[in-house]
């Protein structure tokens, strides 16, 4: 990515669209501190991604389209408990949080199944469930591999997170233009690593 300059407001759902290889996932990973920029800087809720990367990671939940960090032999519940402890949540608070998320994302039926046995769609939903605690949420193609009904419920959950108190700030990538128009207040179009336009979905379409 080159010369990317954008600001996402608290509680905003901001979309990134572009062809495969345009830089969407790379930009998401830079914000999440998984990739460090060679030049420039990223600030997340007042924390610098290079000099204060540990605090940036505390502020961010990340769900990527190609999730590889779950433990395949653990159940869904065990996986989320493990990551909740890494975030410093007490067992009591984590169990209630997991119960609520499983109900929202309709994961109750697979709660005690091993991660390696899940369908691609359920793995995707579990990745989003794990990411939803921090105040900033980075979603890389959150509805990919979901059936239409599950995708609609996922979009509704994303919308509700941005409307809760305190609100969650969402940066999402997607190839689904109708999804972006439905969810996002503003959208950035990436091409060859550069932002070509930032505006509301309606203004971009016009």
């Amino acid at each position: 990515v080159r010369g990317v300059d954008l600001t996402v407001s608290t509680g905003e759902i901001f979309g990134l669209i572009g062809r495969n290889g345009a830089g969407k996932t790379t930009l998401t990973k830079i914000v999440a501190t998984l990739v460090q920029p060679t030049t420039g800087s990223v600030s997340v809720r007042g924390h610098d991604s290079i000099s204060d990367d540990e605090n940036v990671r505390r502020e961010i939940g990340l769900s990527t389209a190609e999730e590889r960090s779950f433990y395949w032999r653990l159940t869904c519940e065990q996986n989320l408990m493990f990551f909740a402890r890494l975030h410093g949540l007490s067992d009591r608070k984590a169990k209630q949080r997991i119960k609520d998320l499983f109900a929202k994302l309709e994961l109750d039926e697979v709660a005690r199944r091993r991660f390696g046995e899940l369908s691609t769609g359920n793995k995707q939903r579990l990745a989003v469930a794990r990411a939803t605690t921090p105040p900033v949420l980075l979603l890389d193609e959150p509805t990919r591999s979901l059936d239409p009904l599950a995708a609609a419920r996922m979009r509704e959950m994303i919308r509700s997170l941005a409307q809760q108190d305190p609100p969650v700030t969402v940066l999402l990538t997607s190839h689904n233009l109708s999804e972006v128009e439905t969810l996002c207040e503003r959208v950035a179009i990436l091409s060859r690593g550069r932002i070509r336009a930032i505006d509301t979905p309606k203004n971009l379409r016009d």
Side-chain angles (χ1 to χ4, degrees), residues 23-172:
K24 303 183 301 297
T25 300
T26 299
L27 181 57
T28 302
K29 288 181 177 179
I30 288 173
V31 175
T33 75
L34 296 179
V35 175
Q36 290 290 8
T38 49
T39 60
S41 62
V42 178
S43 177
V44 179
R45 289 170 58 86
H47 302 291
D48 184 87
S49 69
I50 297 175
S51 62
D52 200 9
D53 58 336
E54 189 172 326
N55 278 322
V56 168
R57 284 192 287 273
R58 287 195 181 101
E59 301 284 353
I60 284 177
L62 172 65
S63 170
T64 63
E66 298 178 357
E67 180 53 62
R68 297 188 182 94
S69 60
F70 282 106
Y71 290 88
W72 284 55
R73 292 187 179 183
L74 296 183
T75 67
C76 295
E77 283 183 333
Q78 289 169 338
N79 263 292
L80 289 197
M81 278 299 297
F82 172 78
F83 288 106
R85 285 168 177 161
L86 288 182
H87 276 280
L89 295 180
S90 67
D91 282 5
R92 181 179 178 183
K93 188 174 181 180
K95 286 177 182 177
Q96 185 59 50
R97 179 72 174 160
I98 291 167
K99 182 180 178 181
D100 293 343
L101 286 169
F102 279 3
K104 268 187 178 180
L105 293 171
E106 298 184 338
L107 288 166
D108 287 322
E109 291 184 4
V110 298
R112 290 181 172 81
R113 287 178 60 185
R114 291 183 178 183
F115 180 79
E117 300 171 355
L118 299 183
S119 67
T120 302
N122 281 332
K123 287 176 181 175
Q124 181 81 352
R125 284 192 280 179
L126 192 67
V128 172
R130 184 187 63 182
T132 56
T133 301
V136 177
L137 189 55
L138 308 178
L139 301 176
D140 190 15
E141 298 185 55
T143 59
R144 191 175 85 166
S145 304
L146 298 185
D147 63 66
L149 287 176
R153 287 191 287 269
M154 178 70 74
R155 287 191 287 270
E156 186 54 41
M157 191 196 76
I158 293 169
R159 188 181 292 109
S160 69
L161 287 171
Q163 294 172 349
Q164 71 182 23
D165 186 24
V168 173
T169 304
V170 181
L171 175 67
L172 70 87

